[in-house]
Amino acid sequence: MRTALGEPDARAAVTFLGTDRIEVLRFSGGAAGEEIVRYATLGMSAQPMTDPTAALADPLRGPRAELVLSVRAGFADTDKVLRPLAVLAASPQVEGLVVAPGASLDVGEPLWPGAPFTSVLVAEPGGLVEDLDLDEPLDPVRFLPLLPMTPNEAAWKRVHGAQALRERWLTGGTDLRDPSRGSVSLD
């Protein structure tokens, strides 16, 4: 992460009962006038994600991931997203979820105070932070971008799918890094 994002300027750690420690790192930076803050989890990939229907969990094999959220700085108190991100990162251990591109993750409350978002869409990896290869037989760590969704967008995505929502965002010229944006037109 440091290679792609630089040095973190803040970090917080959360431990949930029965889980490994999850840290959320904050990376500030970007071009002048376009300050972007990135929040990345650290610790989600310590254990592979396993299918909750599997009879036995493989302690070595299985997908590994960390989560990355990018937002414009200075428009909202986005630093309060640290705990919700840690909750999402702990969900594979706590709930047996396999977090993959196209999935929706919901925290049931605003991602930060006043945020119009309570959930995120998991996007395809590889754009911002490249996969981290681990020694065999371990799967590589994938860095999954998170795209905040309004409740209306999340409901629409459940009916029409992730690709259809991404197309709506693209067609609507939606700034997915705007921490106070409204819902895209879903008519």
Side-chain angles (χ1 to χ4, degrees), residues 44-65 89-100 137-139:
M44 179 179 169
S45 63
Q47 303 294 323
M49 294 180 276
T50 57
D51 182 344
T53 62
L56 287 173
D58 188 326
L60 299 176
R61 292 180 183 84
R64 295 173 186 266
S91 63
Q93 288 183 51
V94 174
E95 300 175 31
L97 295 178
V98 175
V99 178
L138 306 178
D139 287 10

Side-chain angles (χ1 to χ4, degrees), residues 139-158:
D139 287 10
V141 177
R142 300 173 80 195
F143 295 87
L144 302 172
L146 300 179
L147 308 174
M149 294 188 293
T150 66
N152 286 344
E153 291 169 340
W156 199 85
K157 183 255 177 198
R158 281 191 295 275

Side-chain angles (χ1 to χ4, degrees), residues 102-106 118-121 149-165 186:
S104 298
L105 302 174
D106 195 316
T118 60
S119 62
V120 294
L121 175 65
M149 294 188 293
T150 66
N152 286 344
E153 291 169 340
W156 199 85
K157 183 255 177 198
R158 281 191 295 275
V159 173
H160 300 283
Q163 182 59 35
L165 179 57
L186 300 171

Side-chain angles (χ1 to χ4, degrees), residues 24-26 37-40 67-69 71 78-79 81-82 85:
V24 180
L25 309 176
R26 183 183 71 195
V37 178
R38 290 184 170 85
Y39 301 93
L67 308 174
V68 181
L69 174 70
V71 293
T78 57
D79 279 351
V81 77
L82 300 176
L85 275 181

Side-chain angles (χ1 to χ4, degrees), residues 2 26 29 60 80 93 109 112 116 124 126 141 151 157 184:
R2 287 185 169 125
R26 183 183 71 195
L60 299 176
K80 301 285 192 223
Q93 288 183 51
E109 61 185 40
W112 52 83
E124 293 291 333
V141 177
K157 183 255 177 198
V184 69

